[in-house]
């Protein structure tokens, strides 16, 4: 008997060592080969771990419950049993264990488990009893580093934690990861000597499947220029599906690294001579980001999957954009590198699921909706939503999330609404939809989507906007609090952006008062989204490739590999040839711009009507600029003809810069009774033209949605709004009564053969 116990303990030690090294699949396979009895506490624990890390929670729970009965004060057993209950969504059992642990908390790690238990089931008030002490314990290094990631993702949704504390917590994790791995850092990189071919870019992820990360990155990976970039995917394959197969068939190398430890993965990356390694997981489930602590590649980047710093000092850069991270560089361990427009490119085609009209037109009441993960909910956001529901008489709210399948979570959320006077009959709380298309179709029941704060939606924001549902968002300071803001800015719709809770509420009420207007917005949003950078993988990938190349040069000081140097030389040669640009209605001379105007003058190069550019060949100009011109053409026929003509003379990929009076702003000013009569008269002239000559009559008014729709119909894409073009000192920068009265849109002419950027799936 004693001999048998010793053999079990020897096996337990072997399994424990493998698991500690991250070789969880090897540990599971080793256990599977064992056909003896599992009865010692040590082996029961390790057997539970083996099954847990393979997602086999029922088997894990069986072993761990047995172990818990034998050692109820064993911290590791308590932790693993709690984790198995939580990850299998057995919330009743999890809370029962939590109550036992809370009566005799043995360590800060167990206090974290209690905190996360209550947070996970939306019992926020109990969770907050532990929050302050948990944060402080994390900052002081009293929580195990491998338990910190679970806390770190939760900090995104906490309303009362500062960015400095969040950074300190991430640093604790990152420093612990690097400390145990720095001795394996390579002395040299073969990638630095191998500059004769393509740039080797590696993406590392556990989400190369039907997961938001997989669907966002899928179309980017398959759009890379294969003659310039050699693409590797290092895949931790927890599951495979059609997205996995599509990615596998569209890259140069798809390597299953599920069985490799982080150290072994780092060795493989280094041996493959990767120039730039890009982690897509951050601190999320099954992440392999720790492999980058071994410094396997000369340039290391984190991107997409995690909305904060990794805290790992060996990672050089983090990809973001100017809207999502405006002034937050000091709160990252990595150096921020910003995409010129959006940091994401949406991977779903929702064109077949949208309704032409908002549901309020048939239902007779406004329906709000939020389909975000329950971890993004909190008492503050629910209180704000309740105020909106009180203000909008008869309105309803649909909440949908996977965890709403739990009766406990539904009841806790319902109680929070009831505490603010909202009864159950005004809520529809729904769990997971089996088919993703059913998720899209549910937006046909929503008039206005309410974004969560401080932790915004990402995929859910794109889902809603792409199906025409306006998303009301409250902008904060950190990345997680600004993602929806970035998305809205990049599609050119700002009507649902708020910067305070009061503004958030008022905008919700204002939007709800005009169902007919919501139907118009629905149509316009679909058009804006479809023709934005978020649905243009060709242009997006081109921008991403440029960013990656800049990171290589910035970090290494070395030239790009030969394939990209040849491309750069071709680009430089093409740019040295004369690039023609046309300024319609120009009043300011610049050497690179030719001026076209109906009225002759010394500065005008071409005289004529802007609806007839027949003197110019197709694809003549790199850019076309007009400020306060398009409002002079009738929207019945003239406007379409004008934009078609402007599109014709632009080169593929060429830019149009169009500024018009912003009808939304002018209407707001005109209705402002506090303005003096003469000021309102001036606003009226801006709407209808000064009418001082035959050319000074305005025939149409625009807001962002209307103008973007016309541009899209004329064959332009990647349409976005900017506050200023920064090109000319003209009416595009005009202000009146403290308001910018011009609407400025930039768009590009489609490249030959390019559609709207839909995914191939």
């Amino acid at each position: 008997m004693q001999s048998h116990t010793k053999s079990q303990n020897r096996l337990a030690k072997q399994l424990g060592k493998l698991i500690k090294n991250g070789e969880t699949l090897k540990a599971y396979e080793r256990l599977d080969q064992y056909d003896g009895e599992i009865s010692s506490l040590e082996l029961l624990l390790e057997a539970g771990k083996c099954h847990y890390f393979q997602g086999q929670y029922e088997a894990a729970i069986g072993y761990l419950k047995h172990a818990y009965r034998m050692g109820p004060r064993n911290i590791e057993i308590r932790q693993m049993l709690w984790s198995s209950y939580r990850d299998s969504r057995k919330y009743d059992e999890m809370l029962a264990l939590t109550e036992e642990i809370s009566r005799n908390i043995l360590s800060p790690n167990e206090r974290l488990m209690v905190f996360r238990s209550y947070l996970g089931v939306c019992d926020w008030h109990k969770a907050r009893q532990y929050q302050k002490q948990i944060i402080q314990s994390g900052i002081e290094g009293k929580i195990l580093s491998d338990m910190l990631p679970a806390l770190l993702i939760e900090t995104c949704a906490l309303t009362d934690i500062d960015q400095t504390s969040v950074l300190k917590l991430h640093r604790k994790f990152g420093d612990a990861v690097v400390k145990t791995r720095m001795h394996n850092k390579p002395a040299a990189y073969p990638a630095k000597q191998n500059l004769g071919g393509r740039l080797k870019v590696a993406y590392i992820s556990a989400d190369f499947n039907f997961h938001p990360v997989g669907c966002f990155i899928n179309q980017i990976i398959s759009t890379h220029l294969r003659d310039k970039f050699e693409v590797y995917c290092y895949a931790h394959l927890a599951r495979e599906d059609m997205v996995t197969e599509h990615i596998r068939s569209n890259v140069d190398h798809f390597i299953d690294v599920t069985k490799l430890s982080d150290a072994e993965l780092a060795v493989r990356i280094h041996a493959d001579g990767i120039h730039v390694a890009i982690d897509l997981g951050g601190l999320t489930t099954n992440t392999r980001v720790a492999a980058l602590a071994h410094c396997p590649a000369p340039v290391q980047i984190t991107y997409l999957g995690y909305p904060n710093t990794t805290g790992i000092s060996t990672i050089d850069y983090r990809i973001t954009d100017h809207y999502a991270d405006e002034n937050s560089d000091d709160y990252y361990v990595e150096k921020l590198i910003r995409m010129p427009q959006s940091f994401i490119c949406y991977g779903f085609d929702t064109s077949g699921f949208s309704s032409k009209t908002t549901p309020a037109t048939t239902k007779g009441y406004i329906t709000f909706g939020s389909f975000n993960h329950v971890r993004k909910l909190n008492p503050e956001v629910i209180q704000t939503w309740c105020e909106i529901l009180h203000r909008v008489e008869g309105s309803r709210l649909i909440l949908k999330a996977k965890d709403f399948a739990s009766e406990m979570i539904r009841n806790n959320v319902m109680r929070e609404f009831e505490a603010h006077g909202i009864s159950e009959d005004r809520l529809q709380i729904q769990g997971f939809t089996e088919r993703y298309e059913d998720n899209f179709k549910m937006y046909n029941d929503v008039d206005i989507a309410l974004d969560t704060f401080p932790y915004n939606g990402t995929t859910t924001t794109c889902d809603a906007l792409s199906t025409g549902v306006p998303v009301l968002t409250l902008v904060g300071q950190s990345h997680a609090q600004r993602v929806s803001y970035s998305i809205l800015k990049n599609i050119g719709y700002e009507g649902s952006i708020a910067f305070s809770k009061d503004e958030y509420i008022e905008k919700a009420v204002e939007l709800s008062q005009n169902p007919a207007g919501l139907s118009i917005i629905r149509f316009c949003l679909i058009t804006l989204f479809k023709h934005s950078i978020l649905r243009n993988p060709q242009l997006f990938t081109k921008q991403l490739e440029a960013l990656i190349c800049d990171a290589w040069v910035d970090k290494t000081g070395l030239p790009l590999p030969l394939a990209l140097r040849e491309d750069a030389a071709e680009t430089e040669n093409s740019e040295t040839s004369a690039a023609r640009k046309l300024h319609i209605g120009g009043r300011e001379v610049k050497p690179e711009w030719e001026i076209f105007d109906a009225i002759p003058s010394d500065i005008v190069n071409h005289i004529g009507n802007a609806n007839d550019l027949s003197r110019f060949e197709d694809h003549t100009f790199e850019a076309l600029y007009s400020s306060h011109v398009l409002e002079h053409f009738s929207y019945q026929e003239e406007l379409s003809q004008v934009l078609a003509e402007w599109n014709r003379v632009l080169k593929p990929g060429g830019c149009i810069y169009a500024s018009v009076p912003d009808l939304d702003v002018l209407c707001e000013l005109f209705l402002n009774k506090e303005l003096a009569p003469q000021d309102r008269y001036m606003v009226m002239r801006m709407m209808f033209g000064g009418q001082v000559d035959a050319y000074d009559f305005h025939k149409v008014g625009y807001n962002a949605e209307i103008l973007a729709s016309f541009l899209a119909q004329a064959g332009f894409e990647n349409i976005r709004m900017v506050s200023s073009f920064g090109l000319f000192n003209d009416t595009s920068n005009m202000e009146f009564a403290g308001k910018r009265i011009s609407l400025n849109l930039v768009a590009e002419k489609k490249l030959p053969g390019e559609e709207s950027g839909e995914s191939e799936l």
Side-chain angles (χ1 to χ4, degrees):
M1 181 68 179
Q2 188 176 5
S3 173
H4 188 61
T5 301
K6 286 183 178 180
S7 67
Q8 289 191 57
N9 290 343
R10 278 197 300 271
L11 176 59
K13 287 181 180 179
Q14 294 170 12
L15 299 177
K17 185 176 180 180
L18 288 170
I19 292 170
K20 186 176 181 181
N21 290 337
E23 299 173 273
T24 56
L25 185 55
K26 288 182 182 178
Y28 176 79
E29 291 172 344
R30 175 69 183 87
L31 176 67
D32 194 47
Q33 295 168 2
Y34 176 72
D35 58 2
E37 183 183 2
I38 300 178
S39 57
S40 75
L41 184 145
E42 290 78 8
L43 188 54
L44 285 166
L45 171 58
E46 298 304 331
K49 287 185 194 176
C50 287
H51 285 278
Y52 171 81
F53 287 117
Q54 299 311 309
Q56 298 176 5
Y57 301 120
E58 289 294 339
I61 289 168
Y63 287 118
L64 293 166
K65 283 176 68 176
H66 190 175
Y68 182 60
R69 286 193 294 271
M70 295 172 65
R73 290 178 59 81
N74 184 301
I75 293 176
E76 193 172 11
I77 292 172
R78 284 152 66 123
Q79 176 191 332
M80 290 306 306
L81 181 57
W82 176 87
S83 297
S84 298
Y85 284 144
R86 187 182 193 280
D87 291 352
S88 60
R89 291 180 163 82
K90 292 181 177 294
Y91 295 120
D92 289 322
E93 292 88 340
M94 180 192 75
L95 278 188
L97 180 60
T98 297
E99 292 295 335
E100 291 181 29
I101 293 172
S102 66
R103 288 193 288 270
N104 186 17
I105 294 175
L106 301 177
S107 72
N109 301 306
E110 291 201 334
R111 186 171 289 106
L112 173 59
M113 287 158 50
V114 174
F115 170 69
R116 291 188 60 219
S117 290
Y118 293 127
L119 205 59
V121 298
C122 301
D123 193 343
W124 300 289
H125 305 288
K126 282 187 179 178
R128 281 185 175 171
Q129 297 173 19
Y130 298 89
Q131 180 178 315
K132 186 176 180 180
Q133 195 171 359
I134 288 296
I135 300 301
Q136 191 59 38
S137 294
I139 292 172
E140 293 173 357
K142 295 178 180 178
I143 295 176
L144 289 173
S145 61
D146 60 358
M147 292 188 68
L148 275 176
L151 170 62
L152 296 177
I153 189 65
E154 303 289 7
T155 62
C156 295
L158 300 181
T159 57
D160 49 357
I161 186 171
D162 60 276
Q163 287 180 273
T164 300
S165 295
V166 173
L167 175 61
K168 288 179 179 178
L169 287 169
H170 281 86
R171 280 191 183 278
K172 281 293 179 184
F173 169 77
D175 290 348
V177 170
V178 171
K179 184 178 179 181
T180 58
R181 291 165 172 83
M182 278 301 289
H183 61 280
N184 290 328
K185 183 177 179 180
Y189 294 99
K192 287 187 174 182
Q193 280 72 51
N194 181 19
L195 299 177
R198 296 178 288 171
L199 187 76
K200 292 187 175 185
V201 177
Y203 294 97
I204 308 159
S205 179
D207 299 315
F208 290 130
N209 49 48
F210 203 81
H211 176 280
V213 168
C215 294
F216 275 80
I217 203 68
N218 176 25
Q219 56 183 349
I220 298 168
I221 287 175
S222 60
T223 309
H224 270 305
L225 295 174
R226 282 298 181 278
D227 57 336
K228 312 296 180 188
F229 295 85
E230 187 174 352
V231 180
Y232 288 69
C233 284
Y234 296 104
H236 184 102
L237 295 174
R239 61 184 171 90
E240 299 183 50
D241 52 34
M242 58 187 292
V243 176
T244 313
E245 290 308 310
H246 189 265
I247 293 174
R248 181 184 275 116
S249 62
N250 280 278
V251 296
D252 298 286
H253 311 276
F254 189 92
I255 302 116
D256 182 355
V257 300
T258 311
K259 292 186 179 182
L260 301 185
S261 67
D262 292 328
E264 290 170 335
L265 172 55
V267 169
R268 176 64 190 264
I269 293 170
H270 183 262
D272 286 338
I274 299 301
H275 295 103
V276 180
I278 303 176
D279 155 65
L280 300 176
L283 307 187
T284 56
T285 304
N286 290 325
T287 181
R288 305 308 301 270
V289 69
L292 299 190
H294 296 275
C295 300
V299 177
Q300 304 193 142
I301 298 173
T302 186
Y303 170 53
L304 190 60
Y306 184 68
N308 214 318
T309 179
T310 63
I312 299 174
S313 58
T314 57
I315 298 179
D316 306 300
Y317 303 102
R318 170 179 159 79
I319 295 174
T320 182
D321 66 41
H322 295 275
Y323 297 120
D325 284 284
E326 187 176 25
N327 297 304
S328 53
D329 300 62
D330 292 343
Y331 299 105
Y332 290 89
V333 171
E334 310 86 358
K335 179 180 179 181
L336 295 185
I337 50 176
R338 293 174 169 87
M339 292 286 282
Q341 292 172 261
S342 171
F343 78 97
I344 55 173
C345 190
Y346 184 62
F348 296 103
D349 177 10
T350 63
S351 57
F353 304 109
S354 55
S355 170
K356 292 182 179 179
T357 58
T358 199
T361 57
T362 55
K363 292 184 177 180
Y365 57 85
I366 289 291
T367 303
F368 297 100
S370 181
F371 297 176
N372 289 299
H373 195 291
V374 296
R375 76 155 49 99
K376 298 185 179 185
L377 298 177
N378 58 65
E380 286 78 1
V381 79
I382 289 177
Q383 180 181 4
T384 304
W385 290 351
C386 289
E387 290 186 43
I388 292 169
L389 291 170
H390 283 303
R391 292 277 302 276
V392 182
E393 187 176 353
S395 59
R396 307 285 195 274
L397 172 63
I398 301 175
L399 298 176
K400 186 177 82 69
K402 189 173 185 176
D403 279 337
F404 282 136
S406 163
E407 183 180 2
M408 179 186 298
I409 291 176
R410 290 198 308 273
N411 290 340
N412 285 342
V413 170
M414 188 64 250
R415 275 195 293 272
E416 197 68 31
F417 278 93
E418 289 173 341
H420 297 288
I422 298 299
S423 58
E424 188 174 356
D425 62 331
R426 296 186 67 182
L427 298 177
Q428 177 184 332
I429 301 180
Q430 181 168 331
F432 183 66
T433 49
E434 286 294 334
R435 300 187 309 162
Y436 212 82
E437 51 264 38
D438 293 334
N439 175 69
F440 294 134
K441 289 177 182 176
M442 280 195 67
Y443 283 102
N444 292 330
D445 294 324
V446 177
D447 297 287
I448 302 165
L450 299 176
D451 197 13
T452 45
F453 59 84
Y455 194 175
N456 290 175
T458 302
T459 308
T460 51
T461 298
C462 291
D463 291 346
L465 292 172
S466 67
T467 52
V469 180
V471 177
L472 182 59
T473 191
L474 175 57
V475 184
Q477 297 300 315
S478 69
H479 179 96
Q481 302 167 10
R482 301 175 64 87
V483 173
S484 293
Y485 172 67
S486 169
I487 294 167
L488 287 162
K489 292 287 284 187
N490 272 292
I491 72 168
Y493 181 73
E494 300 188 26
S496 58
I497 296 172
F499 294 91
S500 69
K501 285 183 187 177
D502 288 343
E503 186 181 11
Y504 183 96
I505 294 167
E506 292 304 321
K507 282 184 178 285
V509 174
E510 181 183 334
L511 283 168
S512 68
Q513 290 172 343
N514 185 5
L518 285 171
S519 290
I520 295 172
I521 290 173
R522 212 173 186 92
F523 168 77
C524 293
L525 281 176
I526 292 170
T527 302
L528 284 171
F529 197 92
K530 180 179 180 181
H531 295 281
S532 74
I533 186 68
L534 284 100
R535 291 294 288 137
N536 189 338
Q538 290 79 19
L539 179 59
F540 181 91
T541 306
K542 184 178 179 181
Q543 294 175 352
L544 179 62
E545 288 172 344
L547 199 71
I548 291 170
C549 289
D550 288 345
W552 168 263
V553 174
D554 178 65
K555 172 69 189 304
T556 67
L558 296 172
L560 292 165
L562 185 60
L564 284 156
R565 274 179 271 160
E566 292 171 350
D567 187 48
E570 290 172 8
T571 302
E572 186 176 346
N573 290 335
S574 66
E575 289 178 351
T576 55
S577 60
R580 297 181 68 182
K581 301 177 182 179
L582 189 65
H583 186 172
I584 295 177
R587 297 290 183 270
E588 181 181 346
V589 175
K590 287 197 173 184
E592 67 272 28
W593 289 89
E594 302 171 38
I595 295 178
F596 186 106
D597 199 72
I599 302 173
S601 77
D602 292 341
I603 66 170
V604 174
N605 305 103
H606 311 282
I607 301 168
N609 193 307
N611 64 4
D612 180 12
L613 304 182
S614 58
R615 72 194 70 187
F616 304 117
E617 298 288 336
D618 294 358
H619 316 316
T620 297
F621 297 102
E622 299 280 351
L624 189 150
Y625 182 100
S626 75
S627 182
H628 290 219
V629 173
L630 289 174
E631 64 271 22
H632 297 274
F633 297 100
S634 165
Y635 58 86
Q636 292 290 359
E637 293 183 3
E638 286 183 318
L639 182 59
S640 297
Q641 294 171 357
V642 168
L643 290 176
E645 185 70 350
W646 292 9
N647 184 282
R648 179 186 67 80
V649 301
L650 272 176
K651 292 183 177 181
C655 278
I656 180 173
Y657 302 88
S659 178
V660 295
D662 190 329
L663 190 59
D664 283 344
V665 174
L666 294 177
C667 287
E668 180 184 345
L669 287 170
F670 187 78
L671 293 173
N672 183 0
K673 300 299 175 61
E674 294 182 4
L675 285 182
Q678 59 269 30
D679 289 335
R680 296 177 71 211
Y681 173 77
M682 286 299 297
V683 173
M684 182 273 294
R685 292 186 76 233
M686 294 179 206
M687 288 181 174
F688 299 103
Q691 304 186 5
V692 295
D693 58 38
Y695 301 106
D696 198 19
F697 285 77
H698 296 179
K699 298 181 181 180
V700 64
Y702 301 98
N703 64 8
E705 296 85 4
I706 294 172
L707 181 54
S709 178
F710 277 110
L711 288 168
Q713 291 171 27
F716 293 98
E717 64 179 0
N718 194 22
I719 304 162
R720 67 269 189 195
M721 184 190 302
V722 297
S723 58
S724 174
F725 298 125
L727 294 172
F728 297 97
N729 184 21
D730 58 13
T731 48
S732 67
N733 298 311
M734 184 176 176
E735 291 190 8
F736 185 82
K739 298 273 190 180
R740 298 183 72 93
I741 63 96
S742 290
L743 168 66
N744 302 324
L745 296 188
V746 183
E748 279 106 41
K749 179 176 177 176
K750 288 182 182 178
L751 296 171
E754 185 177 280
E755 298 299 328
S756 302
E758 286 82 4
S759 170
E760 292 179 36
L761 291 179

